[in-house]
Amino acid sequence: MNEELELSRDQLEAATTRASASTALDAEAAALGESFRAFGQTAERTAGEFDEAALIEQLQSTLLERSSLQVIACKSRGARSLWPLLLSGAIAASALIAAVRIAATWPTQPPQVVVSPSHQETEGPRALAPAIVKGSAPAEASVPEQAYLTWHDELDDEIIAAQSVLAGVAGKTTPLDGSLSSMDEQLEAMASDLSEGSL
Amino acid sequence: MAAANGEPGGQRIARWVREHGRALRGYVLALVRRPEAADDVVQEVFRRAWIARDRYQDQGHERAYLLRIADRLVVDRSRRLGLEIHVDDATWKQVEPASDDPEPGDAIAMVETSAELTAALERLSSTQKRVLLLRYFGDLTFEQIAETLGCPLNTALSHCRRGLIALRRLLPEEVG
């Protein structure tokens, strides 16, 4: 056999078919074709019996079971992964609502306290909630009392009033007034002595 | 794969095995020479084809696709195991691990491995074997064979021609 035997592609294709070539081949190509088929048939015989049913059963049990397990795993993984998302979303929504409510109820001006008359008559210091808060009327009901607690002592008012009176009196006194009053007191004392005949 | 859309998975696997299992096993066994190893490779071929079933665009060449996977697995295996694919049966029996004793059926199959095929396969180069076996078991075109081997078309044709000439020297007198 010539190692450099030239065979066209068509001849190679015809020689390497499982069935005998229907196209006309020269003797060399036909002989190569016979060798090819003998080789293939020997390989087939060597392969022997092939248990298709066993392989099908094995593949179906492994591949299909794995597919179903993967689907289940994906589903459970997806459900698990939603919980943190939902939880964080709920927390974020709660924080947002709380922030909005605080912003809506936050007073724009500091509260002014009006003390009711009944409170002025009570004795001792007391912590009081204001009777009327000006400036944020719609939100008054929801404001905690602690936000408006102020220190009110009636004694402080009295001290302040006494200080003002004393300041006024002190402002009117002069050194001349003091000497006249002392002289008047001395004259009154002499007059009483004369009338009693002691002089 | 063919008729993949709407075909239940179990039916598709059964159809693959019935239509292509025998050819795949014949191809792989001729290259790896050990029935149990061939069965493992064939099972792996179907497993990989199943995993890639959604990516595979059916072009009517189902067997070529499966044989391409099988060829890649055999080449990878031979590279990984080194000597195994090159030793003859007698040498393999000597170096075969004791824990990997073949089943009685496998042993019979080993005995039944024809001397003609062994001699022919020993005479062929690895690429020549693959070209001829792909042509016989898969009826692949030479373009498909070249693509499977990763070589130019003319190279695949040359391997085919040289393999046929080598077979012609051996087989006519012994096989027929």
Side-chain angles (χ1 to χ4, degrees), chain B residues 33-94:
Chain B
R33 307 273 197 90
R34 297 180 62 202
E36 69 274 19
D39 291 340
D40 290 343
V41 172
V42 169
Q43 188 170 346
E44 180 65 13
V45 169
F46 286 122
R47 192 187 71 83
R48 294 195 180 198
W50 176 259
I51 292 172
R53 65 192 184 280
D54 294 332
R55 295 196 300 270
Y56 177 73
Q57 299 294 319
D58 182 28
Q59 298 172 348
H61 306 298
E62 202 169 62
R63 182 172 293 186
Y65 175 69
L66 294 172
L67 278 170
R68 196 170 300 157
I69 298 174
D71 182 75
R72 197 171 306 148
L73 288 172
V74 169
V75 171
D76 290 345
R77 183 178 180 277
S78 66
R79 285 176 183 160
R80 192 172 62 250
L81 299 181
L83 292 175
E84 182 183 338
I85 198 168
H86 301 296
V87 299
D88 57 22
D89 289 343
T91 306
W92 171 250
K93 286 176 182 174
Q94 291 176 0

Side-chain angles (χ1 to χ4, degrees), chain A residues 27-185:
Chain A
E28 290 295 333
L32 292 176
E34 289 300 319
S35 300
F36 172 77
R37 280 182 284 279
F39 167 74
Q41 289 162 5
T42 305
E44 279 187 326
R45 282 200 302 272
T46 303
E49 291 301 315
F50 173 52
D51 194 349
E52 287 183 353
L55 180 58
I56 290 171
E57 185 178 351
Q58 189 173 8
L59 288 172
Q60 286 178 341
S61 64
T62 57
L63 298 181
L64 297 179
E65 183 179 342
R66 179 181 296 181
S67 297
S68 61
L69 286 175
Q70 284 175 344
V71 169
I72 293 170
C74 288
K75 284 182 178 176
S76 61
R77 198 180 306 129
R80 273 204 308 272
S81 64
L82 280 179
W83 276 110
L85 187 64
L86 290 173
L87 189 61
S88 59
I91 292 171
S94 306
L96 183 63
I97 291 170
V100 168
R101 291 197 63 178
I102 289 171
T105 58
W106 195 263
T108 55
Q109 295 177 350
Q112 297 178 0
V113 177
V114 178
V115 179
S116 63
S118 60
H119 292 156
Q120 290 178 336
E121 297 170 358
T122 58
E123 295 179 353
R126 292 193 307 171
L128 299 173
I132 299 171
V133 179
K134 296 179 180 176
S136 58
E140 282 174 357
S142 62
V143 176
E145 289 185 357
Q146 288 79 357
Y148 295 102
L149 284 178
T150 55
W151 183 261
H152 178 77
D153 191 348
E154 294 166 355
L155 185 58
D156 291 341
D157 296 336
E158 294 175 2
I159 291 171
I160 291 170
Q163 282 178 341
S164 63
V165 170
L166 288 174
V169 171
K172 290 176 183 178
T173 56
T174 60
L176 182 60
D177 291 337
S179 60
L180 288 173
S181 62
S182 62
M183 189 180 291
D184 184 44
E185 289 173 356

